[in-house]
Structures are given as structure tokens and as C-alpha cells.
Amino acid sequence: MKKIEAIIRTSKFEEVKDALRQVGIDFFSYSDVTGVGNEIRKGELSYRGTVYDTSYIPRQLLTIVVRDMNAKKTVDAILKTARTGVIGDGKIFVSSIEESYRIRTGEEGDDSLYNK
């Protein structure tokens, strides 16, 4: 099993969610995150009288656990959909999961990830 964590632009979230559904990934967790990237713009940005701090970048963090056979298509769907070609598109991290359990039924491993 693989754990895929993707940090993407907030504006791309709905497109990525739809792309994941198209490749069969129907469940994942996500949260709003804020970070500091390689390009740090110093100062503030003003829009319609409201001043924004531009040193922090709001993003979405997607956390997806998939069977090994689904890892490549999951990563490819995110790469294709989240890319704008502009600095700040985000990152994807893939790590191995040793074990997984479904609390309700006690199922283990791959069987705990999806309904049969």
C-alpha cells in the first residue's frame, strides 16, 4: 500500500477531485494548509481596500492511501490536473504503508481500504 500526500493550489482542488474520481479514487482526506515556498514575496498585497500578507501561501493537502497497483494512476491524475506550469504548483510525496485496519470490521491490509 502507498500513502500519497499532495500539496496543491486551492484553485485546483475541484479539478483534482474530479480527476481522482475518474481513475477510481473515491475516498481521500484533505485539509487547508499554509506554508512558505521557495519564492517568498515580501510585503503586502492590497485588493479592494483589504491588505493581505503575501509571505504565506494557502494550499490544500490531500492524503490518499491506495493499493500499490493504483499508486501510479493516482499520481498521474494529480500531476496532469494540478499543473499550471507556474511556480507554486505544489508537491507530491509517496511513502509506503506497512499495515492498514478497518476499525468497524477488523479487516486488514488491502481489504481494509475499499468495500468489496
Side-chain angles (χ1 to χ4, degrees):
M1 291 175 288
K2 299 293 183 196
K3 179 180 182 180
I4 300 167
E5 295 177 296
I7 301 169
I8 63 169
R9 294 177 182 274
T10 302
S11 62
K12 287 293 199 170
F13 176 74
E14 290 298 324
E15 290 176 57
V16 170
K17 181 176 75 170
D18 292 341
L20 289 171
R21 287 214 169 127
Q22 288 176 7
V23 296
I25 305 303
D26 294 324
F27 178 81
F28 61 90
S29 299
Y30 66 93
S31 59
D32 295 325
V33 294
T34 305
V36 179
N38 291 333
E39 181 181 316
I40 300 172
R41 290 181 240 137
K42 297 186 180 190
E44 299 173 335
L45 176 65
S46 178
Y47 178 73
R48 293 190 176 182
T50 303
V51 178
Y52 299 93
D53 182 355
T54 60
S55 63
Y56 301 102
I57 304 168
R59 295 287 185 257
Q60 296 288 134
L61 172 65
L62 311 180
T63 303
I64 311 161
V65 178
V66 297
R67 294 180 172 124
D68 288 337
M69 66 184 185
N70 294 330
K72 178 76 171 131
K73 71 179 181 180
T74 303
V75 169
D76 287 347
I78 297 168
L79 282 173
K80 180 180 176 185
T81 311
R83 179 178 292 140
T84 67
V86 179
I87 193 166
D89 278 348
K91 298 268 193 289
I92 299 174
F93 305 99
V94 179
S95 55
S96 294
I97 297 292
E98 290 185 31
E99 194 56 74
S100 171
Y101 300 90
R102 185 178 301 203
I103 295 171
R104 178 177 53 88
T105 63
E107 291 171 296
E108 300 179 21
D110 284 353
D111 291 337
S112 70
L113 295 181
Y114 306 99
N115 292 329
K116 293 181 179 177

